Amino acid sequence: PVLATRGGVPEHQVDEIGEARTAVYASAALSLMILSAVAFGVAMWQDVPGEQLGWRVGPAGPAFAWAAGVTVAGLLLTWLLVRIGAWLNLSESPLTFTLMPRSGREVRAFLVMVGIAAVGEEYLFRGFAWQVLSGPLGAWPAALLTSVSFGLSHGYQRTIGVVRASVLGLVLTLPVM
């Protein structure tokens, strides 16, 4: 949230981060693994069944339909938000582009980090947080709260990135709901 209100990482630090991309990937992956492990530990400590945290697989046909639908909706919404952001002169953070891998080694490290992020973020935001909050708040308020929290965790991408991640977080919550 602090980075989002400040407009992301200061411009003079972007190059320094670019020089340490692999370390940034490792740091992000490790942070998500630790947060996921803590959430998993809390769930075990509280005897929360795995099915309640999203650890279930339904029939293949509906699961595939949901996956395809969420993928198409996510891509279309992302494209639309990028267009709206450009129209409103909301620039992407230079850091977003700086973090893109440049070498084969960085591509491999990036793919590992993205895989860990996909599982970790889904577990943390849609599995754990949404499930915990939907009981006392209701499904939709919990979906909005966890989606905005997910968006704010992408504050380094500036306003357009926060909005994009929040909307995508809401789309990703639908199959869980």
Side-chain angles (χ1 to χ4, degrees), residues 51 54-67 175-176:
E51 299 83 36
W55 293 102
R56 63 183 175 275
V57 177
F64 179 78
W66 271 107
V176 177

Coordinates of all heavy atoms in Angstrom, one line a residue, residues 51 54-67 175-176:
E51 N -10.4 -29.0 2.0 CA -11.4 -28.6 1.1 C -12.0 -27.2 1.3 O -12.4 -26.6 0.3 CB -12.6 -29.6 1.2 CG -12.2 -31.1 0.9 CD -11.6 -31.8 2.1 OE1 -12.0 -31.5 3.3 OE2 -10.7 -32.6 1.9
G54 N -9.9 -24.5 -0.5 CA -9.8 -24.6 -2.0 C -9.0 -25.7 -2.5 O -8.7 -25.9 -3.6
W55 N -8.6 -26.6 -1.6 CA -7.8 -27.8 -2.0 C -8.7 -28.9 -2.4 O -8.8 -30.0 -1.7 CB -6.9 -28.3 -0.9 CG -5.8 -27.3 -0.5 CD1 -5.8 -26.5 0.5 CD2 -4.6 -27.1 -1.3 NE1 -4.6 -25.7 0.5 CE2 -3.9 -26.1 -0.6 CE3 -4.1 -27.6 -2.5 CZ2 -2.7 -25.6 -1.1 CZ3 -2.9 -27.2 -2.9 CH2 -2.2 -26.2 -2.2
R56 N -9.4 -28.7 -3.5 CA -10.3 -29.7 -4.0 C -10.4 -29.6 -5.5 O -10.2 -28.5 -6.0 CB -11.7 -29.6 -3.4 CG -12.4 -28.3 -3.7 CD -13.8 -28.2 -3.0 NE -14.4 -27.0 -3.2 CZ -14.2 -25.9 -2.5 NH1 -13.4 -25.9 -1.5 NH2 -14.8 -24.7 -2.8
V57 N -10.7 -30.7 -6.1 CA -10.8 -30.7 -7.6 C -12.1 -31.3 -8.0 O -12.5 -32.4 -7.5 CB -9.6 -31.5 -8.2 CG1 -9.8 -31.6 -9.7 CG2 -8.3 -31.0 -7.9
G58 N -12.9 -30.5 -8.7 CA -14.2 -31.0 -9.2 C -14.0 -31.8 -10.4 O -12.9 -32.1 -10.9
P59 N -15.2 -32.1 -11.0 CA -15.2 -32.9 -12.3 C -14.4 -32.1 -13.4 O -14.4 -30.9 -13.4 CB -16.6 -33.0 -12.6 CG -17.4 -32.8 -11.4 CD -16.5 -31.9 -10.5
A60 N -13.7 -32.9 -14.2 CA -12.8 -32.3 -15.2 C -13.5 -31.3 -16.1 O -13.0 -30.2 -16.4 CB -12.1 -33.3 -16.0
G61 N -14.7 -31.6 -16.6 CA -15.4 -30.8 -17.6 C -15.7 -29.4 -17.0 O -15.3 -28.4 -17.6
P62 N -16.4 -29.2 -15.9 CA -16.7 -27.9 -15.3 C -15.4 -27.2 -14.9 O -15.3 -26.0 -15.1 CB -17.5 -28.2 -14.1 CG -18.2 -29.5 -14.4 CD -17.2 -30.3 -15.2
A63 N -14.4 -27.9 -14.4 CA -13.1 -27.3 -14.0 C -12.4 -26.7 -15.3 O -11.9 -25.6 -15.2 CB -12.2 -28.3 -13.4
F64 N -12.4 -27.4 -16.4 CA -11.8 -26.9 -17.6 C -12.6 -25.7 -18.1 O -12.0 -24.7 -18.5 CB -11.8 -28.0 -18.7 CG -11.2 -27.5 -20.0 CD1 -9.8 -27.4 -20.1 CD2 -12.0 -27.2 -21.0 CE1 -9.3 -26.9 -21.3 CE2 -11.5 -26.7 -22.2 CZ -10.1 -26.5 -22.3
A65 N -13.9 -25.8 -18.0 CA -14.8 -24.6 -18.5 C -14.5 -23.4 -17.6 O -14.3 -22.3 -18.2 CB -16.2 -25.0 -18.4
W66 N -14.4 -23.6 -16.3 CA -14.0 -22.4 -15.4 C -12.6 -21.9 -15.8 O -12.4 -20.7 -15.9 CB -14.1 -22.8 -14.0 CG -15.4 -22.6 -13.4 CD1 -16.3 -23.6 -13.0 CD2 -16.0 -21.4 -13.0 NE1 -17.4 -23.0 -12.5 CE2 -17.3 -21.7 -12.5 CE3 -15.6 -20.1 -13.1 CZ2 -18.2 -20.7 -12.0 CZ3 -16.5 -19.1 -12.7 CH2 -17.7 -19.4 -12.2
A67 N -11.7 -22.8 -16.0 CA -10.3 -22.4 -16.3 C -10.2 -21.6 -17.6 O -9.6 -20.5 -17.7 CB -9.4 -23.6 -16.3
P175 N -14.3 -18.7 -9.5 CA -14.4 -20.2 -9.5 C -14.4 -20.7 -8.0 O -15.0 -21.7 -7.8 CB -13.2 -20.7 -10.3 CG -12.6 -19.5 -10.9 CD -13.2 -18.3 -10.3
V176 N -13.7 -20.0 -7.2 CA -13.6 -20.5 -5.8 C -14.9 -20.3 -5.1 O -15.4 -21.2 -4.4 CB -12.5 -19.7 -5.0 CG1 -12.4 -20.1 -3.6 CG2 -11.1 -19.9 -5.7

